[in-house]
């Protein structure tokens, strides 16, 4: 039997280390130079091996950071109204948000209707990238009534919006009405999330309500489908 090509042997060796737990989800792989030295091959061969593992969703490359063993997808339970940070609390991973847009605007008719406002009302418009470690996994765009949150700051939106609403503003969040769609990424989204522009993304459009019935936000979240899975429990009517 002919030997496998060297790049496949390297891929198999790395895959075996992952199976045996020597490399765990989230662990960094050795650099390309280190792998070249370890296996005595060219950089091209190492890159072929890494490409194969990437295509198999075993590893992932994070620009400017390195190559890592791919972690399990984030389980997004759509029946649990929790923040980005709360959903990842049990993962013990570093997370942060990068605010891209923070401004006050006049809503168009559609946006005003979604927020139960008039077109003369002012609205916060905030766009932010959500990161797990150094990897952007979600692009969120949010609109919130200025009258409800006159003291909202850039710093608040770098952290937890729900913490600000519930702990600082003492408001009670009641529910969220959500819709999940498959959409093709815009050039902006593809660049921000390092996506293949030919592959659809998952988009969640939602309206958040306070206990008194007021709409406190309208938002759109675009997720990398490789990093998230959406779950729900469906019960049969008896």
């Amino acid at each position: 039997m002919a030997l496998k090509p060297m790049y496949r042997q390297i891929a198999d060796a790395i895959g075996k280390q992952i199976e045996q737990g020597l490399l765990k989800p989230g662990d960094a792989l050795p650099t390309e130079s280190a792998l070249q030295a370890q296996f005595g091959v060219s950089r091209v061969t190492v890159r072929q091996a890494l490409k194969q593992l990437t295509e198999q969703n075993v590893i992932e490359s994070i620009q400017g950071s390195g190559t890592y063993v791919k972690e399990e997808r984030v389980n997004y339970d759509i029946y649990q109204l929790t923040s980005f940070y709360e959903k990842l609390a049990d993962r013990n991973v570093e997370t942060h948000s990068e605010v891209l847009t923070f401004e006050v605007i006049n809503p168009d008719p559609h946006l005003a209707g979604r927020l139960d406002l008039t077109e003369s009302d002012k609205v916060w418009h905030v766009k932010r990238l959500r990161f797990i470690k150094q990897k952007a996994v979600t692009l969120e765009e949010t609109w919130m009534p200025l009258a409800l949150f006159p003291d909202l700051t850039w710093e608040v939106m770098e952290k937890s919006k729900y913490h600000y609403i519930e702990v600082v503003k003492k408001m009670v969040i009641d529910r969220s009405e959500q819709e999940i769609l498959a959409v093709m990424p815009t050039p902006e989204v593809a660049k921000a999330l390092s996506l293949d522009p030919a592959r659809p993304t998952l988009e969640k459009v939602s309206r958040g309500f306070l206990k008194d019935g007021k709409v406190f936000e309208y938002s759109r979240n675009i997720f990398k489908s490789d990093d998230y899975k959406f779950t729900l429990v469906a019960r049969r009517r008896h």
Side-chain angles (χ1 to χ4, degrees):
M1 183 183 294
L3 284 175
K4 291 181 180 179
M6 195 61 199
Y7 78 90
R8 291 184 61 186
Q9 293 182 49
I10 296 170
D12 288 349
I14 295 172
K16 190 171 183 180
Q17 288 184 320
I18 295 170
E19 288 176 9
Q20 293 175 340
L22 301 175
L23 284 171
K24 297 179 175 59
D27 282 355
L29 265 64
T31 64
E32 290 184 1
S33 297
L35 290 172
Q36 276 183 262
Q38 179 183 343
F39 292 99
V41 296
S42 69
R43 187 176 293 269
V44 170
T45 300
V46 167
R47 288 181 174 173
Q48 282 181 298
L50 297 179
K51 181 174 183 288
Q52 177 177 312
L53 291 169
T54 300
E55 290 173 347
Q56 293 171 345
N57 275 326
V58 174
I59 65 171
E60 60 185 343
S61 177
I62 300 177
Q63 188 173 2
S65 179
T67 304
Y68 298 84
V69 180
K70 194 165 179 63
E71 298 193 69
E72 184 182 351
R73 290 183 180 184
V74 177
N75 183 24
Y76 197 109
D77 185 343
I78 62 176
Y79 282 122
Q80 294 294 320
L81 184 53
T82 50
S83 70
F84 174 73
Y85 298 104
E86 289 168 338
K87 280 183 168 57
L88 291 162
D90 63 342
R91 294 278 291 268
N92 193 30
V93 293
E94 176 197 344
T95 59
H96 69 277
S97 297
E98 178 184 331
V99 178
L100 306 178
T101 302
F102 186 81
E103 62 184 355
V104 174
I105 63 170
N106 287 107
D108 61 22
H110 173 74
L111 181 56
R114 296 283 77 196
L115 289 168
D116 290 347
L117 300 174
T118 69
E119 292 176 56
S120 62
D121 291 313
K122 300 287 187 181
V123 171
W124 285 111
H125 171 223
V126 184
K127 189 180 295 185
R128 54 185 180 167
L129 265 177
R130 322 303 297 273
F131 289 80
I132 298 177
K133 295 184 178 178
Q134 300 304 311
K135 179 176 64 174
V137 295
T138 309
L139 180 64
E140 177 196 80
E141 195 165 12
T142 302
W143 296 267
M144 303 164 68
L146 177 64
L148 277 181
F149 309 108
D151 57 349
L152 185 66
T153 65
W154 182 292
E155 290 73 23
V156 163
M157 297 306 290
E158 285 183 313
K159 297 175 183 175
S160 172
K161 173 178 59 185
Y162 280 13
H163 180 272
Y164 162 75
I165 293 171
E166 296 178 317
V167 177
V168 178
K169 302 300 290 182
K170 308 296 184 185
M171 296 177 177
V172 179
I173 296 174
D174 179 59
R175 70 187 192 280
S176 175
E177 295 176 354
Q178 307 179 10
E179 181 180 8
I180 298 175
L181 310 165
V183 298
M184 298 305 294
T186 64
E188 177 195 17
V189 169
K191 181 179 179 181
L193 296 177
S194 300
L195 295 173
D196 178 351
R199 288 187 61 189
T201 62
L202 295 173
E203 179 179 87
K204 178 173 71 71
V205 181
S206 62
R207 288 204 302 164
F209 293 81
L210 298 174
K211 197 70 174 177
D212 62 8
K214 290 179 182 174
V215 180
F216 72 88
E217 74 165 339
Y218 175 64
S219 66
R220 291 189 303 151
N221 286 267
I222 299 175
F223 301 91
K224 288 186 73 169
S225 55
D226 285 347
D227 294 306
Y228 279 85
K229 61 180 179 180
F230 288 76
T231 63
L232 57 86
V233 177
R235 300 189 186 280
R236 186 167 177 81
R237 184 180 298 173
H238 294 285

